[in-house]
Structure formats: structure tokens, C-alpha cells
Amino acid sequence: MRRASHHVAAVAVLVCLASFAAAQDIATFSDVQLIEETREAVGAQDAETALDLLTEMQRRGTGIFAGEETARCDEVIDLPEGINDWRFKGAARQAYITAAKMQALEKGTCACLFDGFSFDNFTSEVLGKPDSELINEDRAELEGYLTQHQRETEARYRDLETVCRSM
């Protein structure tokens, strides 16, 4: 009798550990992985896994839950007073958006491009200086960055957007 109760207890512990491990794994999924796994679980009619995955999607506000009570996702570009080159803002904006898309692709996320990635972060990474120190002559470097990265990034990002919108 005692041996049987030990077996039952051992099985219960293993089931709990497996559920905990699965929950931990789900938390580490990128948004894209989460969407793909959800699709597989629904296709396989695995209700328990699908529910866990959908719950995680809801927690993150991604997939079918994207846009629920979320703030607008706009880039904020504050240029210093000394910038008088009228083409500068366009080059800076496009380069910043391209860099944000590259980050989203790296992370596999469907979240707002600019969450946790300010224009100041961008200029510090790409130009090696804060946005407050930008000068008109930096436009050439921003345009070079854009020329180097925009075409490939746009094509890859369209694929990510397609996956994100499919849920």
C-alpha cells in the first residue's frame, strides 16, 4: 500500500514538473515561435497546450490579442536645434525605423518597434553619439546606414509582419 502511494506521488510530481517546464519554455518563445506553436497545437487539437500558448499570447498582447488596450506605436525623433538640413529628418526617421525592424527580426517579436529602443539608443549605436549631439553632417552616415540595410530588412520584416498578422 505504501509503495503504491509513493508511485502515485512520484507520478504527480513528474506531471507538475513537466507542466512547470512547459510553462517556462513558453515564456522563452519569441512572439513568432509562440504563434507557430499555437497554430500547431490548434491543428493537432491539443486543447491544453493551445490554451497555455494563447494565455501567453494574451499576457504579451501579441497575435490575436495584439492591439487590445495598447498605446499607439510611434517613433519619436527629437532633433537638436542646430539641424537645418531639411532632408535630415527623413533620413534619420527611415534609418531609425530600419534599425528598429532589424531588432524586431532579431528578437522575433511582433511588439511595437520602438518599445525599449529610443532614437537616442539608435544614434548612440549607429553614430556613436547621443541624439542631442547630432549635426547636419551626420545625414550622410544615416543615409549610408539606410542604403546598406533597408532593402534586405524590409523584405524580411514583411515576412514577420505576415506571421504576426496571421493570428
Side-chain angles (χ1 to χ4, degrees):
M1 180 79 160
R2 181 177 261 181
R3 184 175 221 154
S5 65
H6 287 303
H7 286 290
V8 170
V11 169
V13 167
L14 287 175
V15 168
C16 288
L17 286 175
S19 296
F20 178 72
Q24 292 294 84
D25 288 343
I26 290 171
T28 63
F29 288 172
S30 71
D31 291 352
V32 173
Q33 286 175 300
L34 190 60
I35 291 168
E36 289 170 354
E37 291 291 326
T38 303
R39 249 194 235 129
E40 287 178 25
V42 169
Q45 296 183 350
D46 182 351
E48 186 174 326
T49 302
L51 180 61
D52 290 342
L53 293 163
L54 286 166
T55 301
E56 178 65 13
M57 287 171 71
Q58 185 177 26
R59 184 187 70 75
R60 293 185 196 181
T62 190
I64 62 173
F65 301 101
E68 287 187 358
E69 300 177 27
T70 57
R72 288 184 44 167
C73 180
D74 294 323
E75 77 278 358
V76 176
I77 299 173
D78 291 321
L79 297 177
E81 295 282 326
I83 303 292
N84 56 17
D85 180 347
W86 64 272
R87 297 170 293 184
F88 192 99
K89 180 138 186 178
R93 180 177 183 271
Q94 289 302 313
Y96 175 43
I97 290 170
T98 299
K101 287 179 178 180
M102 289 170 63
Q103 270 200 344
L105 287 164
E106 253 180 54
K107 295 177 182 176
T109 183
C110 297
C112 175
L113 290 175
F114 312 106
D115 285 347
F117 187 60
S118 68
F119 183 64
D120 188 57
N121 293 136
F122 164 71
T123 60
S124 295
E125 287 178 18
V126 173
L127 302 174
K129 60 180 160 181
D131 59 0
S132 61
E133 295 179 11
L134 293 175
I135 57 173
N136 287 317
E137 289 74 23
D138 290 323
R139 181 176 57 87
E141 195 169 345
L142 291 169
E143 288 172 340
Y145 177 88
L146 193 56
T147 300
Q148 182 179 2
H149 298 287
Q150 188 176 29
R151 180 171 287 158
E152 178 189 342
T153 301
E154 285 299 321
R156 290 179 50 223
Y157 189 75
R158 275 192 299 274
D159 295 338
L160 177 65
E161 279 185 313
T162 301
V163 171
C164 291
R165 288 182 182 151
S166 70
M167 284 302 287

